[in-house]
Structure formats: structure tokens, C-alpha cells
Amino acid sequence: MQIKVLYFARIKEAVNYSSEDVVLPEEVETITALKYWLSKRGEVWANLFNGQLVVRAAINHNLVDDLAAIEDGDEVAFFPPVTGG
Amino acid sequence: MIRVQTDDFDVAQILAGMRQNNPKIGAMVCFVGLVRDMNDSAEVTSLTLEHYPEMTEKSLHGIVSQAKQRWDILDAVVIHRVGTLQPTDQIVLVAITSAHRQAAFSACEFVMDYLKTQAPFWKKETNSQGARWVEAKASDDEAQVRWTQ
């Protein structure tokens, strides 16, 4: 399946871009699996997505937990804990 | 009314608009969040707020509708600024109207506690040593969780 992935704040700065279209292998069906898959891209990605940092996720503009399922065409966003207000 | 904007806002004008022609309103509570010059490190010279535009308003609408289900409130206004701000600038306004004060007090606090932990905004502060992302606070999470207990 193909999805769009967005990055915000310090995660965007670390990966050096704000969005990408990604074709996922069949076994990547949840946020947990997507984080693990992204962590294999190299050192920067491993540091972000190996579980040491708290990285929140949204699917189609709704906050989700890491067990949430990803579907074809979804917009997935990764960001640090929010600090507005 | 929910707005995310770079421009400043006039609290008195917004509150006057909320009570105009609304004789059912007996109470109005508002919270204004400001940029402080001191955070964890050296004196802050500016603060830049980033957000996730497609998600931000949806998130704020969701928070306000939860407050409306929970308390008997008449109206809610949330305005949050983004972009670069200076110490003493206004960042956020939450204003709630109701017939009686308790609903407005509680709903205002609830909306702020949820906004701080769920709405997709991120602050980056600049001081003489450079710029850094503001860390989320455990006390903000605790403030939100108490509404679920």
C-alpha cells in the first residue's frame, strides 16, 4: 500500500524534510511496524524511531496510539509530544 | 469560534462580541496564555510556534465539543497564534460563556488542559545561546489525565 508520511518539529529537522509518499511492504500494517521499518533507514532514523524518543502519531489528522492500523491512502504524521498553549 | 492565526487578538473585543445579544449568559471565563521571557535556560528572546494545519482546527473542534458535552456551556472561543512571538505577546485565548460560573470555569480549564496535551502545536524558543524545542511537561499530562479519572 501507499501512504503519505508527514514529519513535524524536531523530527522534521532531523530527517530534513516535511513529507514523503511511501510504498509500504505488506507486513507494515501498524504505527509500531512503520516506526520499526523507518528505523532501518539509517542512523538518523534509528535514533528517532528505535523507541528511545517519545514519538506521537496521527492518522488522517486524528491522534492514535502505536497499535493503530494503517490503510492504503492514509496520511500518517509523526511528531514529538505537543507543546502548544 | 476556533481560529489559528499569526495575528494578535483583542480580548476585550472578542468578549464583547460573545455577550452581545446573549441575555442567557450569566458567566464568562477567559484564559490568555502569554510568552514568558524565562523558561528552563537563558532569557528567551523569541518563541516560534509550528503546527500541523490540517489537524489543528479539527483537534480544537474536538476538544470544544467534548467540553460542550460535559458542561452546560453556551459558547466557546479558542484562538491560538502560530509563527514567531516575543515575550509578553499573547499566544492563546480560551473564552467560555455559560449561565452559571462553575460550568465556564471547568470548561475553560478542560479546554486548556486538552489543548496543551493534544493539539498539534510545537514551541521553539530562541535565546542568546541559540534555538531549541521546548520539552513537553509531565505536569501538563497529569492536568489532562485528571479529567478522565
Side-chain angles (χ1 to χ4, degrees), chain A residues 9 13 75 79-80 83 85, chain B residues 50 52 80 121-124 133:
Chain A
E13 286 183 355
E75 178 173 304
F79 43 80
T83 56
Chain B
E50 176 179 331
Y52 178 3
H80 202 298
F121 295 99
W122 301 275
K123 286 184 185 131
K124 191 178 199 180
W133 292 100

Side-chain angles (χ1 to χ4, degrees), chain A residues 6-13 56-63 75-85, chain B residues 49-55 58 80 91-92 112 115-124 133-136 141:
Chain A
L6 274 60
Y7 307 98
F8 290 93
R10 77 178 71 192
I11 296 173
K12 176 178 71 181
E13 286 183 355
R56 302 248 191 268
I59 298 178
N60 301 330
H61 316 130
N62 293 310
L63 271 182
E75 178 173 304
V76 176
F78 288 115
F79 43 80
V82 300
T83 56
Chain B
L49 275 137
E50 176 179 331
H51 74 131
Y52 178 3
E54 296 82 358
M55 179 172 168
K58 185 177 181 180
H80 202 298
I91 305 176
V92 59
M112 267 315 296
L115 183 155
K116 285 199 82 95
T117 51
Q118 301 199 344
F121 295 99
W122 301 275
K123 286 184 185 131
K124 191 178 199 180
W133 292 100
V134 172
E135 298 292 339
D141 288 332

Side-chain angles (χ1 to χ4, degrees), chain A residues 2-21:
Chain A
Q2 184 168 347
I3 62 164
K4 187 173 188 181
V5 186
L6 274 60
Y7 307 98
F8 290 93
R10 77 178 71 192
I11 296 173
K12 176 178 71 181
E13 286 183 355
V15 305
N16 220 9
Y17 49 86
S18 57
S19 77
E20 60 178 322
D21 292 315

